[in-house]
Amino acid sequence: MALPLLPATMRIEHRLIVALDVTDGGRAKSIAHAVVDRVDALKVSWPLVLAVGRGIVKDLAPLAYVLCDFKVADIPNTSRLVVEQAVAAGASGVICHGFAGEDSVRACVEGAGRADVFVVTELSHPGGQEYTAKFAEEFARIAVRAGAAGIIAPATRPDRVRTLRAIVGTKRILSPGVGAQGGRAADAIAAGADAVIVGRSIIESRDPGDAAERIAGEIRRHPAT
Ligand code: 3DU
């Protein structure tokens, strides 16, 4: 059941989402406070939730849109239950995998209610080319047919973002892989991403607020084409 006060859709302003890939709740909150004026969402994943509990989602939700990157990929019933619990915990968006099939993605969208579902197409790391890349276009079509809010596409391969943009039309594209994985924020945005997802380049910086501002500045200087 969606919480009534959560934002229904992600507002894109800075075109930047921070991945809070830390395992200390205090550190996650202090990074969130440092970057919140420069990002459109806080992405929370398994390392943080497993380390400190799902209460972290509720703690962060008043600050900004919280995107739970749980990469849901199970049979439809289990997938729906996971997404419902993420939304009940305070998530405004949840990430699921396209490879679990259209019925599972539909179950995620159903379980999300008013919250957003984003579907992983092609993973950004080198291994993402072994399997996910071969079906990425089909995963993008599934996202559209199932009524997802958007897809996750690799900033490490801007040409693939361009190809996937042609499939998803006006759906959101969020692109991880900037910085530590070698991609450039401006290239992903120019290729059609709505926002980039950045973890280590921000969270491992001595000044996460400043690091986020530098990336947001790079994006502002190279507007989408
Ligand atoms: O490489 P970074 O440290 O900037 O973190 C990227 C984040 O995005 C991280 O949480 C990772 O799990 C997530 N992600 C990918 O990197 C690649 C994908 O295809 C999907 C999600």
Side-chain angles (χ1 to χ4, degrees), residues 19-21 43 45 69 71 95 120 122-125 152-154 176-181 197-204:
L20 294 173
D21 291 334
K43 187 174 84 69
S45 187
D69 184 358
K71 301 234 172 45
I95 297 178
V120 176
E122 175 175 332
L123 287 159
S124 58
H125 67 309
I152 309 294
V178 166
Q181 296 183 51
I197 296 172
V198 181
R200 286 163 289 180
S201 297
I202 294 176
I203 64 176
E204 290 178 1

Side-chain angles (χ1 to χ4, degrees), residues 14-22 27-43 175-181 185 195-219:
H14 307 284
R15 295 175 171 267
L16 177 61
I17 294 166
V18 65
L20 294 173
D21 291 334
V22 293
R27 176 96 185 113
K29 287 182 208 169
S30 92
I31 295 170
H33 280 281
V35 304
V36 73
D37 291 337
R38 290 138 176 135
V39 300
D40 298 316
L42 307 168
K43 187 174 84 69
S175 289
V178 166
Q181 296 183 51
V196 293
I197 296 172
V198 181
R200 286 163 289 180
S201 297
I202 294 176
I203 64 176
E204 290 178 1
S205 162
R206 286 223 320 250
D207 185 341
D210 185 56
E213 176 50 35
R214 265 185 284 117
I215 298 167
E218 179 196 330
I219 293 168

Side-chain angles (χ1 to χ4, degrees), residues 171-196:
K171 298 263 181 208
R172 297 279 193 226
I173 299 185
L174 311 180
S175 289
V178 166
Q181 296 183 51
R184 287 188 60 238
D187 292 345
I189 298 293
D194 292 289
V196 293

Side-chain angles (χ1 to χ4, degrees), residues 96-99 101-106 108-109 117-121 135-153 164 167-169 171-173:
C96 74
H97 264 298
F99 70 68
E102 186 160 343
D103 52 357
S104 285
V105 173
R106 282 187 186 281
C108 290
V109 171
V117 168
F118 295 90
V119 179
V120 176
T121 56
F135 298 96
E137 278 130 276
E138 191 49 38
F139 300 156
R141 285 187 201 99
I142 286 175
V144 173
R145 287 199 297 267
I151 62 168
I152 309 294
L164 294 164
I167 293 169
V168 301
K171 298 263 181 208
R172 297 279 193 226
I173 299 185

Side-chain angles (χ1 to χ4, degrees), residues 11-12 21 25 31 44 47 50 79 89 113 124 135 153 162 165 169 179 192 195 216:
R11 223 178 101 242
I12 300 285
D21 291 334
I31 295 170
V44 168
L50 292 175
S79 293
S124 58
F135 298 96
R162 202 166 281 116
R165 168 56 77 197

